[in-house]
Amino acid sequence: MTDLTDDAELVRASRQAWGALETVHVLSYFAEEVTAAFVALGLRPRLSYFAARSAAFGAVGPEVPTATFYVFAPWLHAKALPASWSAASPDEVQQARRDSMGVVLERVLGDVDEVELAELLGLVRTACEGLRPPGRPLYAAHAGLAWPDDPRVALWHAAGLVREHRGDGHIALLLAAALDPVESLVLNGLFARNTPFLKATRGWTDEEWAAAEQRLVARGLVSGGALTEEGVAFRKGLERDTDRLALEGWAHLGLDGTRRVVELAAPLRQRALDSGILPGWTTSRRA
């Protein structure tokens, strides 16, 4: 695959920047305050995820998130949508998400230096200005939303744009590699050491999971319930190519700016990890 740039330092720094921002953004999927806000609207706790992440598309049915989220069993989408829109509109879900994340970020980030926060937000917004929507449906939907006024929530929103842009590119690579949703999960679970979490949350049966593992065994990527040497190299290659496809925003910001994002976001990442909100495996994911 052709690099968008020959600058290996920018690739490395961009991955570190994404990783720090990602840790802050995903608080929204685990924080009790966010789930409580959705329940107050009438959404079901476990299924609120599907309404929250797809609300940027409008009142869609299950087909859109089945396509764009990729790795969840279709029956989960069908249980959540369009039923969730009978309880709350997409705009109401979006507002509840932002309001509750304001509470979460105030608690987790605490007395963060406001000057540094403003600098970080400005840098990440500059990176977001370099992101392009073609072929990036989840990114495009979220990029169409108004920016929050609260700087903490605005940083969370910016991190979400970076996340969804990168994720859209990753799904394109999964398709190119002929990995179906369950096979992708099996590989990722073994690579990131979070298989129990994925099996508990993605909705596939044990039989579907076992069948996918056997297909990966036939491809030489898995053996004895673990990644083979070829499987590790294959999965690392997917990550490298995902980083390259996600590079355009960071190239727009430049290497110095991207390094400054890493520097400024690192303490926020640590506060998110120390908050107790995130699953334990997030602290030891393989880079």
Side-chain angles (χ1 to χ4, degrees):
M1 185 169 191
T2 303
D3 288 2
L4 295 180
T5 178
D6 293 328
D7 192 340
E9 288 301 314
L10 180 59
V11 175
R12 185 177 301 109
S14 70
R15 182 174 178 84
Q16 293 172 336
W18 157 74
L21 295 171
E22 171 79 352
T23 305
V24 173
H25 180 78
V26 297
L27 291 169
S28 62
Y29 298 119
F30 298 98
E32 293 179 358
E33 293 96 329
V34 179
T35 302
F38 293 146
V39 170
L41 288 177
L43 302 182
R44 297 173 63 180
R46 182 182 179 190
L47 298 178
S48 63
Y49 168 91
F50 301 95
R53 195 172 171 212
S54 65
F57 287 115
V60 295
E63 298 82 5
V64 172
T66 296
T68 56
F69 295 7
Y70 196 66
V71 293
F72 290 87
W75 70 265
L76 275 173
H77 297 286
K79 282 182 72 71
L81 304 174
S84 294
W85 311 131
S86 298
S89 71
D91 286 345
E92 289 172 327
V93 171
Q94 285 283 2
Q95 193 60 52
R97 192 183 191 202
R98 290 183 171 194
D99 289 346
S100 56
M101 273 308 297
V103 174
V104 172
L105 293 171
E106 181 68 29
R107 170 166 66 87
V108 172
L109 301 186
D111 58 348
V112 63
D113 187 297
E114 299 294 337
V115 174
E116 291 189 351
L117 177 63
E119 181 186 357
L120 175 59
L121 176 58
L123 290 167
V124 181
R125 287 193 69 154
T126 298
C128 288
E129 290 168 2
L131 302 178
R132 295 177 295 174
R136 314 273 186 165
L138 262 172
Y139 160 73
H142 286 86
L145 301 174
W147 280 82
D149 294 326
D150 183 305
R152 289 170 173 78
V153 183
L155 180 64
W156 168 82
H157 174 67
L161 296 182
V162 171
R163 175 184 208 265
E164 300 296 11
H165 179 275
R166 187 180 192 279
D168 286 333
H170 186 66
I171 290 172
L173 291 168
L174 296 178
L175 290 168
L179 289 170
D180 68 29
V182 196
E183 293 164 357
S184 302
L185 287 170
V186 172
L187 272 184
N188 189 58
L190 295 174
F191 185 74
R193 304 184 182 97
N194 63 346
T195 295
F197 171 77
L198 296 178
K199 293 185 78 170
T201 58
R202 269 43 179 178
W204 303 99
T205 65
D206 289 341
E207 291 76 16
E208 289 168 324
W209 196 277
E213 184 170 335
Q214 285 306 305
R215 293 194 294 274
L216 295 173
V217 169
R219 290 179 65 171
L221 302 177
V222 173
S223 178
L227 294 179
T228 62
E229 184 176 338
E230 180 182 353
V232 171
F234 178 81
R235 187 60 182 78
K236 286 184 175 181
L238 282 175
E239 286 297 303
R240 286 194 298 270
D241 287 344
T242 300
D243 290 339
R244 291 173 183 132
L245 283 183
L247 200 57
E248 60 188 10
W250 304 111
H252 179 73
L253 177 61
L255 178 58
D256 289 344
T258 303
R259 283 174 169 166
R260 183 59 174 159
V261 169
V262 175
E263 181 180 358
L264 291 169
L268 307 188
R269 174 184 180 273
Q270 192 58 53
R271 291 192 188 201
L273 292 174
D274 292 343
S275 69
I277 294 173
L278 300 174
W281 55 263
T282 61
T283 66
S284 58
R285 285 187 294 187
R286 196 182 306 189

